[in-house]
Amino acid sequence: MASIALSASAALLPLKRNSGAWSKLFPFSSKSYLSFKTCRKNRFISFAASNSSGRNGDLVVTSEDESASQTYTWPDKKKPRICILGGGFGGLYTALRLESLVWQDDKKPQVLLVDQSERFVFKPMLYELLSGEVDAWEIAPCFADLLANTGVQFFKDRVKLLCPSDHLGVNGPMTCTRGGTVLLESGLIVEYDWLVLSLGAEPKLDVVPGAAEFAFPFSTLEDACRVDRKLSELEQRNFGKDSLIRVAVVGCGYSGVELAATVSERLEEKGIVQAINVETTICPTGTPGNREAALKVLSARKVQLVLGYFVRCIRRVGEFEASVKQPETGAIPNVAADKNSDKYILELQPTIKGLESQIFEADMVLWTVGSKPLLPHVEPPNNRLHDLPLNARGQAETDETLRVKGHPRIFALGDSSALRDSSGRPLPATAQVAFQQADFAGWNLWAAINDRPLLPFRFQNLGEMMTLGRNDAAVSPSFVEGVTLDGPIGHSARKLAYLIRLPTDEHRLKVGVSWLTKSAIDSVALLQSTLTKVFSSS
């Protein structure tokens, strides 16, 4: 799985050599800059940690106009300065790793974490928000709370421009005194010695006509809240009616299957979930045990699997469009032609011979197919040394120590990084990979600052986990071949594993107590219900 991250769609734009304004901001370079062009055009407020408060979490509000020419002043001019862009698994856990290491007083770095959101999101558990199994604060704690007892400063801001200067040492002696400069959207300029790119990815909705307008992505906390609200609206609208809520899930990878299982459990007999996949099987890259457990659950909940099809387009049902008839599922009730009852048409094309095109109708479309890294596309600058090497997907090419090739002071993690395993296969864009990379990035930053050799990153696959409902999951640990824990046992194992992975000890304790309390309440409620049934039958 893959926001985490800065919500920005960007392009690398060469600036004019004679631009006086930019030469003042970036006196060491006037060739090219890595520009992050944000998707949203609304006014942005920057929350900057105060240097004078002496306590993390105290934030100073600076407006866009007020900070047009401000440069961030690091507390100590002599200590190393590390700027981390993106507060997902890669960024936040790198910051926490740096905090946990032992440093000499004069070499302990100053760490600045920048993210567009004020909350860290534990993405693998977003599905539990739809089932009501967890609360938002448990899986999306505030950065200010997580970093309150650390030396890490947090800025809520977006990246607008990046100008690295560490390329100056590529073909000559490493004599550059700083790594580069970051311009934030609020106007704040941050100079750094070391940079960590962990910008995450965003859903790719522009490949199918109508997907961006009508489909719901499921990648961020905001996405999960929007999906939850829409489901609640549909449930209220259909309350007491015979019509079924129809939900189409596009994509049957892990995310799509988890979403289909969660939504089908929530709707029960009130709805029908259709899962569409271009492959002829679900979870094609998953373990056989997880796939079998998922198929069993989806079949029990009557999820309709539409395999071997891709979505050609999505459109809203018009005022004069008649309802369509779906193969094998019977006629769909006529569509009410009013603005308060939107329904959508999905045109499907087969990917294998022998299948016919289909047209489906849905009250809601959930999109889980594809993602695009938030690193920018690169236009060839005048001086190629400024360029960040990107692959076809827009990810930074890194060496085995996670440093961007040609830029020894820039590290890239997670979706921002293009790295392959020992067999040459690209590493999956999962939280497990980003979590392990953060551990290595933190150590390698320590090694680089202390003139020690850097360690090559080696991914260790610990297994795969997926949720299948409130009391159901599938866990296939890599250290026990052929074994899959499913049902309530798998559910408990998954929650325990993720509890251990939560960012800080304090947050783990709070969440653990909360989950134990909820479990106790559910157990008492189940016991009362069982006793009531026994006594009523007797």
Side-chain angles (χ1 to χ4, degrees):
M1 291 192 54
S3 189
I4 315 167
L6 300 179
S7 176
S9 172
L12 183 63
L13 300 176
L15 299 180
K16 295 182 179 179
R17 290 189 178 187
N18 298 324
S19 176
W22 286 109
S23 64
K24 292 180 181 179
L25 292 178
F26 307 104
F28 51 88
S29 178
S30 59
K31 300 287 186 180
S32 63
Y33 299 91
L34 192 60
S35 170
F36 292 77
K37 183 179 179 183
T38 57
C39 299
R40 300 178 182 177
K41 297 182 180 180
N42 57 307
R43 180 183 178 89
F44 188 82
I45 300 298
S46 170
F47 293 84
S50 171
N51 293 328
S52 59
S53 64
R55 174 183 175 274
N56 255 354
D58 294 336
L59 302 178
V60 175
V61 181
T62 58
S63 71
E64 186 177 13
D65 296 333
E66 292 171 349
S67 60
S69 60
Q70 288 184 347
T71 299
Y72 173 63
T73 304
W74 293 86
D76 193 310
K77 295 182 179 180
K78 296 182 179 180
K79 293 183 178 181
R81 303 164 299 181
I82 299 177
C83 181
I84 301 175
L85 302 180
F89 280 96
L92 175 63
Y93 284 68
T94 296
L96 295 175
R97 175 61 169 156
L98 288 168
E99 188 71 15
S100 69
L101 295 172
V102 178
W103 300 85
Q104 297 179 17
D105 290 339
D106 61 332
K107 291 188 176 181
K108 182 175 175 60
Q110 306 163 91
V111 181
L112 175 64
L113 178 66
V114 180
D115 194 272
Q116 69 152 7
S117 173
E118 62 184 12
R119 294 178 179 272
F120 163 74
V121 181
F122 200 94
K123 284 191 174 184
M125 299 198 74
L126 281 175
Y127 311 95
E128 278 81 345
L129 283 178
L130 300 184
S131 63
E133 192 174 350
V134 302
D135 297 322
W137 70 267
E138 296 172 345
I139 63 167
C142 293
F143 285 111
D145 295 334
L146 295 175
L147 301 174
N149 298 320
T150 71
V152 179
Q153 299 291 336
F154 170 70
F155 281 14
K156 181 187 175 187
D157 212 330
R158 295 187 181 97
V159 178
K160 184 176 183 180
L161 198 70
L162 170 64
C163 182
S165 62
D166 57 349
H167 59 276
L168 297 175
V170 173
N171 294 323
M174 293 295 295
T175 57
C176 55
T177 58
R178 60 181 175 181
T181 303
V182 174
L183 175 64
L184 303 181
E185 191 176 87
S186 61
L188 193 66
I189 301 168
V190 180
E191 296 180 356
Y192 66 85
D193 297 312
W194 306 89
L195 182 70
V196 177
L197 297 175
S198 183
L199 303 174
E202 64 182 2
K204 196 171 184 178
L205 296 170
D206 55 356
V207 293
V208 172
E213 294 83 0
F214 306 127
F216 286 79
F218 197 80
S219 177
T220 66
L221 178 63
E222 291 75 18
D223 291 341
C225 292
R226 281 193 289 267
V227 171
D228 183 58
R229 286 195 298 268
K230 180 63 176 180
L231 286 173
S232 297
E233 291 173 6
L234 292 173
E235 289 168 335
Q236 293 175 7
R237 188 193 72 185
N238 284 37
F239 182 77
K241 299 181 180 179
D242 294 332
S243 59
L244 297 176
I245 300 171
R246 292 184 175 271
V247 178
V249 179
V250 182
C252 288
Y254 268 118
S255 180
V257 170
E258 290 176 296
L259 202 50
T262 302
V263 173
S264 62
E265 181 185 51
R266 171 169 170 166
L267 295 179
E268 296 179 330
E269 300 299 324
K270 300 175 294 183
I272 294 177
V273 175
Q274 295 167 317
I276 305 165
N277 199 35
V278 68
E279 303 280 351
T280 56
T281 184
I282 66 171
C283 301
T285 61
T287 62
N290 280 8
R291 192 181 305 117
E292 292 174 7
L295 284 171
K296 179 181 177 181
V297 169
L298 296 179
S299 175
R301 294 178 189 162
K302 299 180 180 179
V303 174
Q304 299 174 6
L305 296 178
V306 186
L307 305 178
Y309 283 89
F310 70 92
V311 179
R312 181 170 165 271
C313 72
I314 305 173
R315 53 190 173 90
R316 181 185 279 120
V317 173
E319 210 173 77
F320 301 100
E321 283 187 88
S323 281
V324 295
K325 185 173 182 179
Q326 299 188 51
E328 302 180 0
T329 60
I332 298 177
N334 289 333
V335 178
D338 62 80
K339 295 181 180 180
N340 296 323
S341 179
D342 288 335
K343 289 182 180 287
Y344 305 98
I345 295 293
L346 289 82
E347 297 184 11
L348 308 184
Q349 292 291 331
T351 59
I352 57 178
K353 294 182 179 180
L355 297 178
E356 296 181 354
S357 300
Q358 297 194 51
I359 296 179
F360 283 177
E361 196 172 87
D363 298 287
M364 184 179 189
V365 181
L366 299 175
W367 193 270
T368 68
V369 178
S371 64
K372 51 185 177 182
L374 288 172
L375 278 179
H377 299 289
V378 178
E379 293 182 3
N382 295 328
N383 189 338
R384 296 294 297 181
L385 290 177
H386 289 263
D387 198 356
L388 289 186
L390 306 180
N391 66 1
R393 291 194 64 232
Q395 297 170 305
E397 295 281 358
T398 61
D399 61 23
E400 60 181 3
T401 65
L402 303 178
R403 291 185 299 184
V404 176
K405 293 179 179 178
H407 292 269
R409 287 179 175 264
I410 302 179
F411 290 78
L413 315 178
D415 294 294
S416 297
S417 170
L419 194 63
R420 298 179 180 271
D421 59 20
S422 56
S423 61
R425 294 174 298 182
L427 291 176
T430 63
Q432 182 181 176
V433 172
F435 184 90
Q436 294 184 29
Q437 286 180 333
D439 192 49
F440 274 79
W443 173 265
N444 282 343
L445 281 165
W446 179 93
I449 292 172
N450 288 279
D451 297 323
R452 301 290 183 84
L454 277 61
L455 295 178
F457 174 71
R458 294 291 183 265
F459 173 61
Q460 294 183 348
N461 186 5
L462 303 178
E464 299 178 4
M465 301 187 292
M466 62 189 308
T467 181
L468 296 171
R470 282 188 63 91
N471 200 34
D472 209 337
V475 178
S476 295
S478 61
F479 48 85
V480 185
E481 187 175 357
V483 173
T484 298
L485 305 177
D486 59 359
I489 296 177
H491 177 265
S492 299
R494 178 178 176 273
K495 288 195 72 172
L496 179 60
Y498 282 153
L499 178 64
I500 296 172
R501 291 296 195 190
L502 290 177
T504 65
D505 292 338
E506 182 180 0
H507 189 64
R508 279 191 288 270
L509 178 60
K510 291 179 180 178
V511 174
V513 171
S514 176
W515 287 357
L516 284 174
T517 303
K518 292 176 183 177
S519 179
I521 293 173
D522 290 342
S523 298
V524 171
L526 179 61
L527 178 61
Q528 289 177 339
S529 176
T530 303
L531 292 176
T532 301
K533 291 180 180 179
V534 170
F535 289 133
S536 61
S537 61
S538 61

